[in-house]
Amino acid sequence: MPYASVSDLEAWLTPEPAPENAVRLLDLASTAIDRALYGLAYDPTDPVVRDVLTRACVRQVHWMIDRDDETGAQDDLQSMSTGSRSFTRRTVGQGAGSTPRLAPFTADVLKTSGLFDAFVWVEG
């Protein structure tokens, strides 16, 4: 079950509407969060935890929408252009060539909540 509802996503994306595939994106985002928190003990029914998971989930979906790649099929691309947007992956340095599975702002919400000890950023 997704950590956020379409209404939560619409509130976050305002004034933009939620996309037609919002339910699927919310489910995928929740799975990405579950993967990042895998092995950590927490109660997803606790209202405080639930609020953090909801905020993280809508940020993850927003990132997925901006990337226009809900499946991760473009994770292995070095560079890409579409319309007026162009993306190039770093080719040197730490994390070169890797695509994070979790949006930076999603990870920030989880890390700064103080609820998830030993939170691990998951890349690739």
Side-chain angles (χ1 to χ4, degrees), residues 43 90 119:
D43 179 4
R90 284 183 292 159
F119 170 73

Side-chain angles (χ1 to χ4, degrees), residues 30-88:
S30 297
T31 300
I33 292 166
D34 286 342
R35 183 178 188 270
L37 299 177
Y38 186 78
L40 299 181
Y42 60 95
D43 179 4
T45 63
D46 178 294
V48 174
V49 173
R50 187 73 190 181
D51 177 62
V52 170
L53 293 173
T54 297
R55 289 187 292 124
C57 187
V58 296
R59 284 163 176 80
Q60 182 70 16
V61 170
H62 192 177
W63 182 70
M64 293 166 69
I65 292 168
D66 280 351
R67 291 184 67 209
D68 194 27
D69 181 23
E70 70 179 79
T71 66
Q74 299 172 20
D75 286 353
D76 61 346
L77 295 177
Q78 196 67 11
S79 65
M80 179 181 89
S81 295
T82 177
S84 63
R85 297 174 77 183
S86 177
F87 305 93
T88 302

Side-chain angles (χ1 to χ4, degrees), residues 5 7 17 32 37 52-53 63 72 77 80 83 91 95 106 108 122-123:
S5 67
S7 297
L37 299 177
V52 170
L53 293 173
W63 182 70
L77 295 177
M80 179 181 89
T91 57
T106 303
D108 290 348
V122 181
E123 289 194 21

